[in-house]
Amino acid sequence: MFSLVRLRLAVKASCIHLGISAVVALIVAAVVLGLWFPFPYRSLAGGQHLFWILIGVDVVCGPLLTAIIFNPKKSRRELLFDLTLVFVIQLMALAYGLHSISEARPVVLAFEVDRLTVVSAVQVDKKAMSASQALSWGGPVLVGTRDPKSGDEVLESVEMSIQGIEISARPDWWQPYDASKPQIRRRMKSLSILRAGKNMQTQADIDAAAKKTRLKIDQLYYLPLVSQKSLDQWIALLDAQANIVGYASVGGFD
């Protein structure tokens, strides 16, 4: 009889805990998916996958631990200690998860040679940052990348690339996006030509993305949109002035 009472009270306590955890999860979702990883960066930078791992661990484990340890036979002091311990463990797991996700958040969308590259916070070469530069917490900042100033910079750039640090991840190579527009206009390609070489399903995806821009398809151009986790799955749609007007989940290196 007592075990049934304990089970009923434990389930009730766990449900209350689950409700509180769900509210916290909604707040975290608004920050992670709405601010740090806006569309389409959830897919490009892996934010959605990391978020669901965090929520799965944090929202499920906390209420489950509450259900396991809750026992009305315990004194109020013992019960308070146990529940506080669960809360601290859950809070620590949430803090660690948010830190990991924040390191993966996209901070820059950089034009680089012939593509747009998504750069996460952890990829940025912090040593190359000036005192006036700071990494974005509100989604990626659109930048261009400058040309090398000398032959020595060319060699240095090659060496850094071999080490895995591309120009797009080096703040001392960033410049305003508008300054790179002449080069972008030379590199961007006609969306209608890309569409012509795709299958019917991909053509439909391109048409749907183009429709959202409110421009005719023959007025649109594209550049491959890549990240460390997605090398040929997205394109950015551009107008004739090289402004980004949309995105499509389509390979752009064909």
Side-chain angles (χ1 to χ4, degrees):
M1 177 68 180
F2 176 76
S3 61
L4 290 176
V5 173
R6 179 198 175 283
L7 179 62
R8 201 160 44 238
L9 292 173
V11 168
K12 182 179 179 180
S14 179
C15 287
I16 293 172
H17 192 161
L18 180 61
I20 295 171
S21 297
V23 172
V24 173
L26 288 174
I27 296 171
V28 171
V31 173
V32 173
L33 301 181
L35 193 61
W36 292 355
F37 293 85
F39 174 84
Y41 303 102
R42 299 164 199 168
S43 172
L44 277 160
Q48 189 166 316
H49 176 68
L50 292 171
F51 170 75
W52 286 117
I53 292 176
L54 171 63
I55 294 304
V57 171
D58 209 57
V59 172
V60 173
C61 289
L64 183 61
L65 284 172
T66 295
I68 292 171
I69 68 170
F70 191 89
N71 189 336
K73 288 186 69 176
K74 294 180 179 179
S75 67
R76 178 173 294 185
R77 183 176 179 179
E78 288 176 317
L79 203 54
L80 181 61
F81 176 81
D82 289 347
L83 293 177
T84 300
L85 184 61
V86 170
F87 172 76
V88 170
I89 292 172
Q90 190 176 13
L91 189 62
M92 289 175 64
L94 178 63
Y96 177 78
L98 281 174
H99 171 72
S100 299
I101 294 175
S102 73
E103 286 291 285
R105 78 187 189 279
V107 293
V108 161
L109 178 59
F111 170 72
E112 183 180 20
V113 184
D114 62 350
R115 67 200 66 188
L116 289 164
T117 302
V118 180
V119 182
S120 66
V122 74
Q123 290 178 269
V124 174
D125 181 13
K126 309 299 193 301
K127 296 177 183 177
M129 292 183 67
S130 68
S132 61
Q133 288 177 311
L135 299 182
S136 169
W137 288 92
V141 176
L142 187 59
V143 301
T145 52
R146 63 174 176 80
D147 293 328
K149 298 176 181 178
S150 64
D152 289 341
E153 273 203 340
V154 173
L155 292 176
E156 182 188 9
S157 174
V158 172
E159 290 176 0
M160 296 290 283
S161 294
I162 291 173
Q163 295 172 29
I165 305 175
E166 301 294 342
I167 290 173
S168 56
R170 298 183 60 189
D172 54 338
W173 282 70
W174 295 344
Q175 67 179 12
Y177 181 77
D178 285 348
S180 291
K181 277 188 174 181
Q183 187 180 357
I184 296 170
R185 284 195 288 267
R186 290 194 298 269
R187 292 289 189 171
M188 65 189 192
K189 300 176 182 179
S190 170
L191 185 62
S192 60
I193 293 176
L194 178 70
R195 181 188 182 280
K198 299 294 186 179
N199 60 40
M200 291 182 64
Q201 180 57 57
T202 305
Q203 287 182 350
D205 292 339
I206 291 174
D207 290 342
K211 185 177 180 180
K212 293 178 182 178
T213 70
R214 298 184 180 180
L215 294 173
K216 295 179 180 179
I217 198 161
D218 58 3
Q219 297 175 310
L220 290 168
Y221 302 84
Y222 76 93
L223 282 175
L225 180 60
V226 304
S227 71
Q228 204 172 44
K229 297 179 179 296
S230 176
L231 298 178
D232 189 23
Q233 297 175 338
W234 285 85
I235 58 173
L237 307 186
L238 298 94
D239 62 17
Q241 290 73 45
N243 300 305
I244 298 175
V245 293
Y247 305 94
S249 182
V250 175
F253 286 108
D254 294 348

